C-alpha cells in the first residue's frame, strides 16, 4: 500500500470521524446510563457482538439494493482473503450471535437484548452525520404480537423522557408482509414509471432495484412527483391491517406525539409491518434520532428458525447534540486536590493520595514547584471540593491544611483528625471521579 504523503504538522482525523473529547463525555455517559436503566426496567440484557463481521451478513440482512450496502460499507478483504466489514448497524450482528449461540432457546418468547457501541457508514459527512457514530440498540425477539411493538416504542419514549428530551415526534407506518407487499410494489412501480423522467438519477436506478426507497428520497422534486403515489397502508392484507390497528390502539398514550406517515420506508430492507422513526426539530436535515421496526422472517432468511422480532436504534451523537442544546453538563470534580508546597511534601502527599483512594475518595495531585496561588487556581479549574496543602510548616507540625474550596474556610488537621473527619463528615462528602 502506498504511504500517504507526510504533511507538515501533527497528524489529523479522517474526514467524517470525530474525537469524543472529555467535555462531551458527561453527555455520552448520561445516554449510556439511561439506556442501561431503561433496559433493566424492561428486562433487556446487554450483548456485545464484535465490530468486524463477515461482509456477507450485512449484505444478506440489510439488503443488496440499499444505500448502506451499495455504497456506504467499510468493506475490505482481510489478510486471509475473507471479506469483512466494519458494522454499519447492530441488528445483523445481534441476530447472527443469537442464532449462533442458540440464545433464542434460553429466552423463549421473550429474548430481549440491548447493545451500545460504534457503527461505521461511509456517508457524506454533515451536521449530525458521521462516518463513525454510536448507537444504542434494542432488539426483542420471539413474539410477533402487536403488544411487543407497543412495548418497544414505549421503551423508546420512556428513554427519551428519562433524558429530559421532549418535542420529539414518532412517525409510524406499516410496510406490509410478503403476502401484501408484492402487490403494493407492483402498483408503486407502475406509478413511478409514469414519473420516471422527472426523478433524480438515484431514484431512476431505485425504480428497478428498490422502488419503495423512492418515497424516501430527500430531493424535493422527487418528493413532489411522488406525492400522489399509492401508499403501503392501502394494500395491507387483513393480518397486517389488524396488527397495525391493534398497535395504534395500544399506543394511544398521552406522552407520545405520534404521526402516521405513509411515506416512511426506512433505509434497510429487513422491515415487515411496523416501521417507525423518531424525529427532532433542531437537528437540521439529519433529524432522525432513532429508527426501527419489525423484522419477522429475517431469521428464516438467514437459515435460522422462525424468530419474529422488533427493535430500534438511536444515534448517540444526535442525542448528545440535543442534550447539549439544553445546557451544560459537567463532570464532577475530584473530592481532593493535593498541593505539594515544597519538594519534601511529595512523598507524604503521594501516600496520602493512595490512602484517600483506598477509602473511596478521589484525589488529584498537583505538580511540584507551583506557588500556593497557582495550586488553588488549578484546584478550582478541575472543580475539586477540597484542597489539601502540605508545606514545610505543616510537615514540621505534623498536620495538613485542608481548604474547603466552596466555603473558602480552612483548618489545620492532624492526620488522625483528617481521617476521622472523612469517616464522619458534617454532610456526606464522598467525591465522584473526575471523569
Ligand atoms: P438506522 O435508521 O439506519 O437504523 O439508524 C438508527 C439511527 O442511527 C438513526 O436514526 C440515526 O440517529 C443514527 N445514525 C444513522 N446513521 C448515522 C450517521 N451516519 N451519523 C450519525 N448517526 C447516524 C438502524 O441502524 C437499524 N439497525 C435499527 C433497528 C434495530 N431496526 C431494528 N432493530
Amino acid at each position: 500500500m502506498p504511504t500517504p504523503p507526510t504533511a507538515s504538522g501533527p497528524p489529523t482525523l479522517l474526514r467524517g470521524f470525530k474525537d469524543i473529547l472529555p467535555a462531551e463525555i458527561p453527555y455520552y455517559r448520561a445516554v449510556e446510563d439511561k439506556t442501561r436503566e431503561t433496559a433493566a426496567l424492561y428486562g433487556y440484557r446487554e450483548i456485545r457482538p464484535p465490530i468486524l463481521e463477515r461482509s456477507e451478513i450485512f449484505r444478506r440482512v440489510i439488503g443488496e439494493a440499499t444505500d448502506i450496502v451499495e455504497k456506504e460499507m467499510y468493506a475490505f478483504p482481510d489478510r486471509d482473503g475473507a471479506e469483512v466489514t466494519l458494522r454499519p448497524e447492530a441488528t445483523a450482528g445481534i441476530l447472527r450471535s443469537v442464532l449462533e449461540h442458540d440464545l433464542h432457546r434460553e429466552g423463549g418468547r421473550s429474548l430481549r437484548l440491548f447493545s451500545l457501541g460504534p457503527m461505521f457508514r461511509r456517508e457524506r459527512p454533515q451536521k449530525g452525520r458521521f462516518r463513525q457514530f454510536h448507537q444504542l440498540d434494542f432488539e426483542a425477539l420471539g413474539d410477533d404480537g402487536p403488544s411487543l411493538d407497543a412495548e418497544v416504542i414505549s421503551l423508546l419514549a420512556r428513554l427519551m423522557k428519562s433524558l429530559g428530551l421532549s418535542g420529539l415526534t414518532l412517525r409510524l407506518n406499516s410496510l406490509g408482509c410478503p403476502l401484501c407487499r408484492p402487490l403494493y410494489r407492483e402498483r408503486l412501480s407502475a406509478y413511478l414509471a409514469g414519473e420516471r423522467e422527472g426523478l433524480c438519477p438515484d431514484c431512476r436506478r431505485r425504480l428497478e432495484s428498490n422502488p419503495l426507497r423512492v418515497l424516501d428520497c430527500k430531493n424535493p422534486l422527487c418528493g413532489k412527483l411522488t406525492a400522489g403515489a399509492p401508499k403501503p397502508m392501502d394494500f395491507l392484507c387483513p393480518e397486517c391491517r389488524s396488527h397495525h390497528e391493534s398497535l395504534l390502539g395500544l399506543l394511544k398514550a398521552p406522552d407520545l406525539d405520534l404521526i402516521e406517515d405513509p411515506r416512511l420506508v426506512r433505509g434497510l430492507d429487513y422491515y415487515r409491518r411496523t416501521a417507525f422513526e423518531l424525529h427532532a426539530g433542531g437537528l437540521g436535515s439529519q433529524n432522525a434520532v432513532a429508527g426501527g421496526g419489525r423484522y419477522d422472517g429475517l431469521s428464516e432468511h438467514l437459515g435460522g428458525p422462525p424468530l419474529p422480532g422488533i427493535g430500534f436504534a438511536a444515534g448517540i451523537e444526535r442525542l448528545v447534540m440535543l442534550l447539549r442544546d439544553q445546557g451544560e453538563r459537567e463532570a464532577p470534580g475530584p473530592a481532593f486536590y493535593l498541593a505539594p508546597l515544597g519538594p519534601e511534601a511529595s512523598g507524604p502527599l503521594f501516600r496520602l493520595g493512595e490512602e484517600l483512594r483506598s477509602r473511596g475518595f478521589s484525589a488529584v495531585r498537583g505538580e511540584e514547584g507551583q506557588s500556593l496561588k497557582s495550586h488553588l487556581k488549578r484546584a478550582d479549574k478541575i472543580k475539586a471540593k477540597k484542597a489539601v496543602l502540605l508545606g514545610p510548616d505543616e510537615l514540621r507540625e505534623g498536620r495538613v491544611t485542608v481548604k474547603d474550596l466552596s466555603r473558602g474556610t480552612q483548618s489545620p488537621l492532624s492526620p488522625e483528625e483528617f481521617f476521622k473527619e472523612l469517616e464522619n463528615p458534617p454532610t456526606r462528602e464522598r467525591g465522584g471521579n473526575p471523569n
Side-chain angles (χ1 to χ4, degrees), residues 104-165:
H104 50 293
R105 287 198 219 282
E106 290 171 23
R109 275 174 68 85
S110 61
L111 180 61
R112 289 170 165 80
L113 300 168
F114 79 99
S115 200
L116 284 158
M119 310 292 153
F120 302 83
R121 295 184 193 176
R122 206 177 188 291
E123 294 187 77
R124 200 166 48 79
Q126 53 176 268
K127 186 181 174 206
R129 200 206 264 161
F130 303 96
R131 289 179 170 178
Q132 176 182 327
F133 58 98
H134 294 77
Q135 283 187 345
L136 57 91
D137 184 285
F138 284 79
E139 308 292 347
L141 295 136
D143 185 343
D144 63 3
S147 49
L148 184 62
D149 305 27
E151 189 190 286
V152 166
I153 292 172
S154 304
L155 183 160
L156 171 59
R158 190 182 293 274
L159 175 57
M160 295 301 119
K161 202 172 164 199
S162 74
L163 283 166
L165 295 176

Side-chain angles (χ1 to χ4, degrees), residues 339-341 344-345 372 388-402 410-415:
L341 300 169
E344 348 38 90
L372 174 62
V388 178
L389 317 175
L390 192 64
D393 291 350
E394 282 87 358
L395 280 168
R396 206 175 36 250
E397 292 162 19
R399 57 181 172 83
V400 290
T401 300
V402 181
Q410 76 176 45
S411 38
L413 296 175
S414 69

Side-chain angles (χ1 to χ4, degrees), residues 402-416:
V402 181
K403 192 171 171 73
D404 186 315
L405 294 163
S406 54
R407 295 194 194 118
T409 54
Q410 76 176 45
S411 38
L413 296 175
S414 69
E416 294 72 37

Side-chain angles (χ1 to χ4, degrees), residues 68 72 88-92 119-121 123-124 126 128-139 266-268 270-271 276-278 283 286-295 310-319:
I68 297 179
E72 295 169 4
E89 59 105 57
T91 314
M119 310 292 153
F120 302 83
R121 295 184 193 176
E123 294 187 77
R124 200 166 48 79
Q126 53 176 268
R129 200 206 264 161
F130 303 96
R131 289 179 170 178
Q132 176 182 327
F133 58 98
H134 294 77
Q135 283 187 345
L136 57 91
D137 184 285
F138 284 79
E139 308 292 347
R266 307 278 297 127
L268 305 95
Y270 48 66
Y271 295 110
F276 56 91
E277 278 181 2
L278 194 66
L283 280 183
Q286 300 304 308
N287 67 354
V289 178
R294 205 165 246 296
Y295 45 84
I310 176 163
F312 72 84
I316 300 186
E317 279 70 13
R318 294 185 191 176
L319 290 173

Side-chain angles (χ1 to χ4, degrees), residues 136-350:
L136 57 91
D137 184 285
F138 284 79
E139 308 292 347
L141 295 136
D143 185 343
D144 63 3
S147 49
L148 184 62
D149 305 27
E151 189 190 286
V152 166
I153 292 172
S154 304
L155 183 160
L156 171 59
R158 190 182 293 274
L159 175 57
M160 295 301 119
K161 202 172 164 199
S162 74
L163 283 166
L165 295 176
S166 53
L168 303 175
T169 307
L170 188 92
R171 298 183 168 270
L172 182 71
N173 196 12
S174 175
L175 301 175
C177 68
L179 219 62
C180 50
R181 202 187 300 171
L183 177 62
Y184 171 64
R185 196 182 143 119
E186 199 179 292
R187 294 285 172 81
L188 179 67
S189 295
Y191 175 92
L192 294 174
E195 305 292 350
R196 189 187 171 87
E197 292 319 307
L199 294 172
C200 73
D202 265 351
C203 281
R204 261 181 260 151
R205 197 169 40 78
R206 288 179 187 134
L207 214 54
E208 319 304 330
S209 60
N210 202 348
L212 262 72
R213 294 286 300 154
V214 176
L215 295 182
D216 198 34
C217 181
K218 301 285 178 287
N219 183 318
L221 198 60
C222 296
K224 223 170 176 177
L225 289 174
T226 57
K231 301 176 177 61
M233 203 61 84
D234 298 331
F235 292 81
L236 295 185
C237 62
E239 287 75 17
C240 286
R241 177 164 302 285
S242 131
H243 185 100
H244 190 65
E245 278 166 6
S246 306
L247 172 60
L248 285 177
L250 288 165
L251 283 180
K252 288 220 160 50
D255 271 355
L256 216 58
D257 184 9
L258 185 116
I259 295 182
E260 284 201 70
D261 181 356
R263 298 173 67 87
L264 182 94
V265 290
R266 307 278 297 127
L268 305 95
D269 273 356
Y270 48 66
Y271 295 110
R272 299 263 177 93
R273 294 190 171 159
T274 308
F276 56 91
E277 278 181 2
L278 194 66
H279 290 254
L283 280 183
S285 64
Q286 300 304 308
N287 67 354
V289 178
R294 205 165 246 296
Y295 45 84
D296 304 351
L298 182 58
S299 168
E300 292 98 307
H301 174 68
L302 293 178
L307 192 60
I310 176 163
F312 72 84
I316 300 186
E317 279 70 13
R318 294 185 191 176
L319 290 173
V320 167
M321 281 166 76
L322 294 175
L323 291 176
R324 291 194 83 153
D325 286 347
Q326 286 185 348
E328 281 300 305
R329 228 176 250 249
E330 286 176 355
F336 291 100
Y337 176 86
L338 309 178
L341 300 169
E344 348 38 90
S346 274
L349 268 194
F350 165 75

